[in-house]
Amino acid sequence: MIVSRRTVLGLVPVMPFALRAVALGAAAPGRRNLVSCLGGFYLIEPVGTVKAWTTGRVKASLLGLGDDSFLPPYVAHEVPALKGATAIAGGAAGYAVTADGRVLAWGDNWNGLLGNTPLSELESTGHQHPPVPTPTYTVPIPKIIDVAAGSRHALALTVDGRVFAWGNGQLGQLGIGDLPIVNFTTRSPDINYFVPYPIEIPGLANVIAISAGPEFSLALLRDGTVRAWGENYAGQLGDGSTERRTRPVQVRGITNAVAVSAGGLDFGVALLGDGTVATWGKRGDALGRRIAADVDRDPALVPGVTGITAIAAGGAHVLALKSDGRIVSWGTVNVYDPVGHGPAPGATPAVVPIVTTARAISAGPLSSQALIADGTFMVWGALPSLTFRVDGTKADGSRYPVPLVVKGL
């Protein structure tokens, strides 16, 4: 049944769910991909179907569903325009990579976030395209395999290891050096504070992974080193300084990284080849360790965290997936508790209870998600209501992981 150009896959009752004992390997890693975004979640199925749902009162256009009606929370909808997408990212706008390596974008076009205004058009009109409620192609880029979204910028990784950026560049988060001078036909040539079309980051090559923080960016190179650029007031670039960088610089001391993740509150995380985790940036529980200074400009290991196979940085917390399916987490414990291990100090890494057979992890600004071996999902942290707990008790938020069953998933 088609309703407002989207397929309703089922009303989602938020209810406790007793995890079944499932043998390791029952669900292959990466077969289903859950992505946290502004206002909700996307699920990419192996068959190419993409489903989306929201955790609050959010307009359908924010999820690429084509209109300004408000979606009820925890109702899954198929997103026809994203069928066949291989990767999705969400920041102030939404992005997806298609099977043929192109990039789709939707939502607000503030600061040129949609990347769909060619330079020639910007020069002749002085304006970028208006917002779009359904996924629309960006200006063409060489074949893309991944996207990342910050609060005012976006990145795209090509199959041959180059990186393109677009959006706001005032804080250096595009990594292109000085912002280009636009030869406007309607006024004098001038520097635009945003770039509404993808532009290649010069001198950055052999990249295998990207991650975007609010105003900074990270790139993992094939040789295990990490590059960073953008805002650096909190040492989030890890280069030993607090100077803003408009071009990529090397994160100090990291030579064997296998994954990177940029945190929402100005910190960086790297998974190293030996299964340990390094953090750097703003002082706080998200570093997983105590520091005396306000910021830590140099990466250092999180004590006691070993055997890690994947990482995910949220707004002010970090998830680390162990090889045995358990999740270690640390970070700021607030009313939502996205960290998920209750009364333990947030800065002290601890195992998340209940979750024992996780195969993939994802972290949002105020929530955490895990794909379980049997194909179901668990979510904890920010829930639809601060006074509603899905286990039947009343409390301010959810302080422990609560399995969330979504009909049709």
Side-chain angles (χ1 to χ4, degrees):
M1 178 177 65
I2 303 299
V3 179
S4 299
R5 290 175 285 175
R6 53 184 181 267
T7 304
V8 179
L9 300 176
L11 179 63
V12 180
V14 183
M15 61 180 70
F17 177 72
L19 282 179
R20 300 185 298 274
V22 181
L24 290 175
R31 294 297 300 275
R32 310 176 92 197
N33 186 17
L34 182 66
V35 179
S36 175
C37 64
L38 183 64
F41 298 95
Y42 291 96
L43 174 66
I44 306 175
E45 295 281 20
V47 296
T49 302
V50 175
K51 303 167 186 176
W53 67 94
T54 175
T55 58
R57 194 168 182 265
V58 171
K59 287 186 177 181
S61 58
L62 188 62
L63 297 181
L65 289 166
D67 60 55
D68 285 334
S69 64
F70 284 95
L71 298 173
Y74 296 102
V75 176
H77 307 275
E78 185 174 341
V79 188
L82 296 183
K83 185 174 178 61
T86 59
I88 293 176
Y95 307 92
V97 179
T98 62
D100 60 357
R102 293 188 290 175
V103 177
L104 292 167
W106 60 94
D108 197 347
N109 204 18
W110 175 65
N111 284 294
L113 281 170
L114 299 184
N116 61 353
T117 305
L119 174 59
S120 59
E121 185 173 333
L122 178 66
E123 290 175 334
S124 62
T125 68
H127 302 287
Q128 73 270 24
H129 285 182
V132 295
T134 54
T136 303
Y137 288 112
T138 65
V139 171
I141 323 173
K143 190 172 184 179
I144 298 301
I145 59 173
D146 200 11
V147 289
S151 60
R152 293 191 294 170
H153 75 293
L155 306 174
L157 174 62
T158 68
V159 69
D160 60 356
R162 295 178 289 156
V163 179
F164 285 74
W166 63 95
N168 187 286
Q170 289 175 297
L171 300 178
Q173 62 267 51
L174 298 184
I176 60 174
D178 294 336
L179 290 170
I181 296 176
V182 179
N183 294 312
F184 294 107
T185 59
T186 57
R187 61 181 188 270
S188 300
D190 199 1
I191 295 175
N192 221 42
Y193 68 89
F194 62 86
V195 179
Y197 52 88
I199 184 170
E200 185 175 356
I201 299 176
L204 190 60
N206 299 313
V207 176
I208 60 173
I210 53 175
S211 184
E215 306 293 357
F216 73 104
S217 305
L218 301 177
L220 172 62
L221 273 57
R222 191 175 303 279
D223 64 3
T225 61
V226 179
R227 300 295 184 269
W229 59 93
E231 183 57 274
N232 195 28
Y233 72 92
Q236 58 264 51
L237 301 189
D239 70 337
S241 79
T242 53
E243 295 180 19
R244 183 180 301 164
R245 306 294 188 179
T246 62
R247 292 186 181 275
V249 295
Q250 185 166 345
V251 176
R252 290 170 53 157
I254 294 182
T255 59
N256 63 333
V258 295
V260 292
S261 189
L265 286 183
D266 310 323
F267 65 96
V269 186
L271 171 61
L272 307 184
D274 61 358
T276 59
V277 176
T279 58
W280 62 93
K282 188 175 180 63
R283 181 180 68 180
D285 292 343
L287 295 185
R289 51 192 172 82
R290 298 296 183 185
I291 61 174
D294 289 335
V295 299
D296 195 349
R297 303 174 179 87
D298 295 298
L301 295 179
V302 179
V305 175
T306 60
I308 303 303
T309 61
I311 53 173
H317 70 290
V318 178
L319 305 180
L321 177 62
K322 294 180 69 69
S323 57
D324 62 4
R326 293 179 299 159
I327 297 174
V328 175
S329 66
W330 60 90
T332 300
V333 176
N334 52 31
V335 67
Y336 300 102
D337 192 15
V339 179
H341 45 72
T348 303
V351 173
V352 176
I354 302 178
V355 188
T356 59
T357 60
R359 292 294 177 269
I361 52 177
S362 176
L366 295 170
S367 65
S368 300
Q369 304 85 42
L371 169 63
I372 308 304
D374 64 356
T376 57
F377 295 99
M378 296 180 68
V379 60
W380 58 98
L383 291 175
S385 170
L386 292 181
T387 59
F388 174 72
R389 274 182 62 141
V390 299
D391 60 6
T393 64
K394 286 190 174 182
D396 289 334
S398 174
R399 291 200 59 79
Y400 291 96
V402 181
L404 196 64
V405 179
V406 180
K407 288 179 62 178
L409 298 184

